[in-house]
Amino acid sequence: MNAAQTANNYFKLFELPENYAVKTDDLVTRYRLLQAQLHPDRYVDKSERERRMALERAALVNDAYRILRDDVERGLYLLSLHQPEIAQQKPTLSSEFLMTQMELREALVEANCFDQLHTLLASVRIAMLESVARIALALDNDAQFLKALNELAELQFLKKLAQEIDDRLFGLES
């Protein structure tokens, strides 16, 4: 495999298996190794072209790392690699999840103290972990790409809600 092919696949760039379930320690270790190899201090006495190429490669490594460490972005990236037509589709959320969304939104509106927000945040984080497990199963084991796409949309909602709860908690603390 040449450098261009490796650069076009973030998993290959990081020498990781093309799976949704990624070992975070391996990802972080490879990221640090690649960044150390591309550090500007190593290119001080190199040509302008070599410095520019190292800088571009470092930017690519940063982009790849940002995508691979994020549960939603990594899933969408995997779909784009293996099922680009599905990755382009609009997800279909189940009526059950739409009802859950409404209930969680109402709970956030009604939560007016630290304890209620913490309890809500804990339940959202549990739902996120369950969603990540379902996505890993759909992508890595069952090849159920449409199901994974829909689960990724649900996970994205949960992540945004968790951030909103965190923001409310931060507002209460300050």
Side-chain angles (χ1 to χ4, degrees):
M1 175 170 294
N2 65 36
Q5 290 171 319
T6 300
N8 291 332
N9 184 314
Y10 295 159
F11 290 97
K12 288 182 174 52
L13 179 65
F14 279 78
E15 299 178 3
L16 295 171
E18 279 185 35
N19 292 327
Y20 181 76
V22 170
K23 291 181 181 174
T24 305
D25 290 348
D26 292 346
L27 177 63
V28 170
T29 299
R30 286 295 304 156
Y31 174 71
R32 289 180 180 154
L33 181 66
L34 289 167
Q35 284 301 325
Q37 290 172 353
L38 298 168
H39 195 277
D41 289 348
R42 300 184 77 160
Y43 291 86
V44 169
D45 58 346
K46 303 290 182 184
S47 71
E48 176 65 28
R49 182 176 183 270
E50 289 172 307
R51 286 194 304 264
R52 189 184 73 243
M53 288 178 64
L55 192 61
E56 290 172 2
R57 188 135 171 98
L60 175 71
V61 167
N62 285 336
D63 286 344
Y65 180 67
R66 179 186 52 78
I67 287 173
L68 293 181
R69 74 177 182 189
D70 183 280
D71 293 327
V72 173
E73 295 291 327
R74 185 177 60 256
L76 292 172
Y77 180 71
L78 263 174
L79 280 176
S80 73
L81 284 178
H82 299 290
Q83 299 289 322
E85 66 285 348
I86 291 176
Q88 298 297 319
Q89 291 183 18
K90 187 175 180 179
T92 305
L93 298 178
S94 69
S95 56
E96 180 183 331
F97 187 75
L98 292 172
M99 184 62 77
T100 300
Q101 273 187 319
M102 287 179 21
E103 291 169 359
L104 289 170
R105 285 266 167 228
E106 287 174 13
L108 179 57
V109 168
E110 293 171 3
N112 55 14
C113 72
F114 197 77
D115 289 342
Q116 289 174 330
L117 287 169
H118 264 286
T119 300
L120 181 59
L121 183 58
S123 69
V124 169
R125 286 187 174 153
I126 289 170
M128 289 171 64
L129 290 173
E130 292 169 350
S131 182
V132 165
R134 287 190 300 271
I135 294 166
L137 190 62
L139 286 174
D140 295 345
N141 294 28
D142 299 338
Q144 293 183 340
F145 302 111
L146 275 174
K147 181 179 179 182
L149 178 68
N150 296 333
E151 284 285 347
L152 286 163
E154 291 178 10
L155 179 59
Q156 190 161 23
F157 166 79
L158 294 169
K159 282 182 64 178
K160 283 183 175 180
L161 185 66
Q163 183 59 54
E164 288 178 38
I165 297 167
D166 271 339
D167 292 346
R168 291 255 324 260
L169 282 166
F170 181 75
L172 289 176
E173 291 173 351
S174 39

